[in-house]
Amino acid sequence: MANPKRIIIPTGYMGSGSSAITDIFSEVEGVDVSRGTFEYVFLHCPNGVFDLEDKLLVGNNAVRSDEAIHSFERTMKQLYDKKYWWVGNYKTNIGENFFEETKRYIKKITDVESEYYWYYQENTNFKMFLRLCFNKGLKLLTLNKFKPKKVLAYDTMKLSFIEEEDFYSASKEYIYNLIKMAGYNNESILFDQLLLPFNLFRFDKYFDDDAFVFVIERDPRDVFISNKYYWSKSGDVVPYPQDVKEFCKYYSKLRKMEKTAESDRIMRIKFEDLVYNYDETISKIFKKLGWDRSTHTAAKTKFNPEKSIFNTQLFLKNEEYAKECEYIADELKEYIYDFPYAIEHKDSGVF
């Protein structure tokens, strides 16, 4: 019997190990993980769906809604068009009709289209400047007989005074149309980073009971060491401070600004539990999804706890790490993992 169809959303805290979830689900029958760890940002990026929500439902007015809709449309067009932008190329990563679906969504949430304009449209960019210069030249050549059209960033104002219920209904329809476009038809599908921990309080307003989020946390000592001594040296930049005191301040604020999300379809997992309590944690994941664990037919072929264990307890590798991590353990007590035993590291083990 096939597992119930699910939308699976791995997320975490920059370097916390959420890719482990992608690896685990790639071992399960009936899950499309073909996009791997490509990060889908159209909900939470600047001028994404969540920014649109905030602008239209909090402190909205005519000109505010116009800016909100045009900023959203412009950003979605960039995500669709920009082939070599690592978070973009939605033409391939979602589907050919992504932008057409976006335009249908915009039309649905727009109440009025107007030919009036406001100062936001008059804010001159380079293309507008060239047009203004051209118009000026024509006016001089025709002794002011030429009457040019007003030069604006865009012509049509789009105004929205949408009610909350209508906004969430239209947005949910839009999101699900995109997910289906990407292949959510006959089997479950995984969308990496479609949500971030910091916007999970919005989750139930946008998704039905078939969507599940797995939030991966990792001991901040290992995050710090990985960031300072491994990722930065290999050119994989993660924006954590490399001074241990600054790191603790940053990490603490990062975690504390997160709003509590109560949905029972959000599961928090310690990365370390995937290693040290593998069977129990995998069983909890399958139970959460309502799945039969017998469909985990390729277990440990992509995520192997015996290998991943060497990405834990990095503070045991040498004395320099240990001193910095003593400070982290004292400052960030609530995020420290209680390891069941110490491991002996080998240099080739960290990856």
Side-chain angles (χ1 to χ4, degrees):
M1 182 173 161
N3 288 327
K5 203 169 61 165
R6 305 297 192 207
I7 300 165
I8 298 161
I9 305 168
T11 190
Y13 301 91
M14 296 185 301
S16 62
S18 62
S19 60
I21 290 295
T22 302
D23 289 342
I24 288 166
F25 282 111
S26 70
E27 302 168 345
V28 182
E29 290 179 7
V31 184
D32 178 1
V33 293
S34 59
R35 291 154 191 82
T37 55
F38 178 83
E39 298 185 6
Y40 287 88
V41 303
F42 69 93
L43 295 180
H44 53 76
C45 69
N47 299 317
V49 174
F50 295 156
D51 272 3
L52 193 60
E53 172 193 356
D54 292 342
K55 292 174 182 179
L56 295 184
L57 301 185
V58 182
N60 189 21
N61 58 55
V63 296
R64 185 59 167 156
S65 66
D66 176 61
E67 180 278 325
I69 292 171
H70 277 94
S71 294
F72 172 75
E73 184 174 20
R74 183 172 59 252
T75 299
M76 294 305 105
K77 187 69 163 63
Q78 290 171 345
L79 286 172
Y80 176 71
D81 277 342
K82 291 195 172 183
K83 185 175 181 180
Y84 299 107
W85 191 19
W86 70 274
V87 293
N89 195 19
Y90 280 16
K91 187 174 184 179
T92 298
N93 289 314
I94 289 184
E96 289 273 350
N97 293 322
F98 168 81
F99 196 63
E100 287 302 313
E101 186 62 42
T102 298
K103 287 191 286 187
R104 281 192 286 271
Y105 168 59
I106 289 171
K107 187 172 183 178
K108 198 164 190 175
I109 63 173
T110 299
D111 291 309
V112 177
E113 293 194 7
S114 170
E115 297 303 317
Y116 291 110
Y117 60 89
W118 59 298
Y119 63 84
Y120 185 76
Q121 289 159 266
E122 296 178 277
N123 186 9
T124 307
N125 57 36
F126 183 68
K127 186 176 180 180
M128 292 166 66
F129 173 74
L130 292 177
R131 185 65 190 178
L132 287 166
C133 291
F134 178 76
N135 289 349
K136 182 70 172 177
L138 278 181
K139 286 179 74 176
L140 291 172
L141 286 172
T142 60
L143 302 176
N144 288 325
K145 291 179 181 179
F146 174 65
K147 303 296 182 184
K149 184 180 177 182
K150 183 75 174 178
V151 177
L152 301 170
Y154 52 86
D155 292 329
T156 305
M157 288 185 70
K158 295 180 179 180
L159 313 182
S160 176
F161 309 103
I162 195 166
E163 298 287 340
E164 279 194 19
E165 183 180 350
D166 294 333
F167 176 81
Y168 291 125
S169 175
S171 298
K172 182 185 286 189
E173 181 184 28
Y174 172 59
I175 291 166
Y176 271 83
N177 285 344
L178 295 181
I179 290 173
K180 289 172 184 175
M181 189 185 299
Y184 183 53
N185 298 303
N186 300 319
E187 60 182 358
S188 297
I189 196 166
L190 184 142
F191 281 87
D192 191 33
Q193 310 299 317
L194 182 60
L195 291 159
L196 299 179
F198 317 103
N199 43 56
L200 290 180
F201 67 94
R202 308 178 195 259
F203 177 53
D204 285 331
K205 294 176 180 177
Y206 288 94
F207 291 91
D208 291 326
D209 292 343
D210 57 347
F212 290 78
V213 179
F214 295 91
V215 186
I216 308 302
E217 304 177 13
R218 185 183 177 199
D219 191 303
R221 293 172 293 182
D222 287 332
V223 173
F224 174 76
I225 293 169
S226 296
N227 178 64
K228 182 174 180 177
Y229 296 103
Y230 291 91
W231 299 329
S232 62
K233 290 183 179 178
S234 63
D236 299 323
V237 178
V238 175
Y240 285 120
Q242 295 189 14
D243 175 82
V244 67
K245 293 182 180 180
E246 291 301 315
F247 170 82
C248 289
K249 290 178 186 177
Y250 180 99
Y251 191 88
S252 178
K253 289 182 178 181
L254 179 76
R255 297 297 300 270
K256 286 177 180 176
M257 73 177 183
E258 183 180 344
K259 289 185 179 180
T260 302
E262 302 294 345
S263 176
D264 62 1
R265 289 177 290 113
I266 297 172
M267 183 176 181
R268 291 186 171 274
I269 301 171
K270 301 280 189 184
F271 173 77
E272 294 81 7
D273 280 336
L274 289 170
V275 174
Y276 294 90
N277 299 302
Y278 176 81
D279 285 327
E280 179 184 350
T281 307
I282 296 296
S283 292
K284 286 179 179 177
I285 290 171
F286 274 74
K287 184 178 180 181
K288 174 66 72 175
L289 293 167
W291 281 5
D292 185 342
R293 193 173 169 182
S294 67
T295 57
H296 193 187
T297 53
K300 299 184 180 181
T301 58
K302 295 294 179 65
F303 179 82
N304 185 345
E306 294 177 7
K307 182 180 178 183
S308 290
I309 196 170
F310 295 109
N311 280 345
T312 71
Q313 300 192 66
L314 299 178
F315 49 86
L316 296 177
K317 282 181 66 66
N318 65 48
E319 196 172 313
E320 182 183 5
Y321 298 175
K323 286 180 180 178
E324 289 176 311
C325 289
E326 284 175 14
Y327 184 85
I328 296 173
D330 188 55
E331 292 293 315
L332 301 174
K333 294 183 181 70
E334 62 267 47
Y335 307 115
I336 298 300
Y337 187 76
D338 184 17
F339 290 96
Y341 54 86
I343 65 171
E344 184 175 339
H345 270 283
K346 49 187 180 183
D347 287 335
S348 61
V350 182
F351 62 94

